[in-house]
Amino acid sequence: QLQLVESGGGLVQSGGSLRLSCAASGFSLDYYVIGWFRQAPGKEREGVSCISSSGGSTNYADSVKGRFTISRDNAKNTVYLQMNSLKPEDAAVYFCAAYAYQGTRCSRSGDYDYWGQGTQVTVSS
């Protein structure tokens, strides 16, 4: 069974940091673009970041540039999202997702085939 499982969410004060993990089971992430998305209550889902299958290319939403860093460890079949300088507006459920593509780029608006169930991030002011 193909699965993505997020972890690392929680409650943090404004200005703090969290590292989210997205672990795959049932398939290898080697040939997949991974994206991180978030959705806050009453708001549309936002593509936060993505990383190419090789890890050589990344992309970020303007709202998180300079604060968030996406990375991947294919040997561990895991992708990470390091979130620094968190703001109350970063609070949301964060999801990771995957689509198969071995090219050099990634797209936050790609056709993602597999989704995790999400992890809650809460930022107190």
Side-chain angles (χ1 to χ4, degrees), residues 17-49:
S17 298
L18 284 173
R19 188 177 81 156
L20 305 183
S21 298
C22 172
S25 61
F27 69 110
S28 170
L29 287 181
D30 288 6
Y31 308 113
Y32 286 82
V33 168
I34 304 299
W36 281 99
F37 299 80
R38 66 186 181 187
Q39 188 162 23
K43 294 188 177 182
E44 290 189 357
R45 187 175 66 199
E46 177 185 19
V48 173
S49 181

Side-chain angles (χ1 to χ4, degrees), residues 33-35 37 49-50 97-99 107-115:
V33 168
I34 304 299
F37 299 80
S49 181
C50 66
Y99 70 88
S107 173
R108 288 181 285 119
S109 58
D111 291 328
Y112 287 82
D113 298 310
Y114 305 107
W115 290 82

Side-chain angles (χ1 to χ4, degrees), residues 47-50 58-62 64-65 68-71 81 108:
V48 173
S49 181
C50 66
T58 59
N59 186 277
Y60 297 92
D62 287 344
V64 306
K65 273 181 186 175
F68 290 12
T69 303
I70 191 170
S71 62
L81 185 68
R108 288 181 285 119

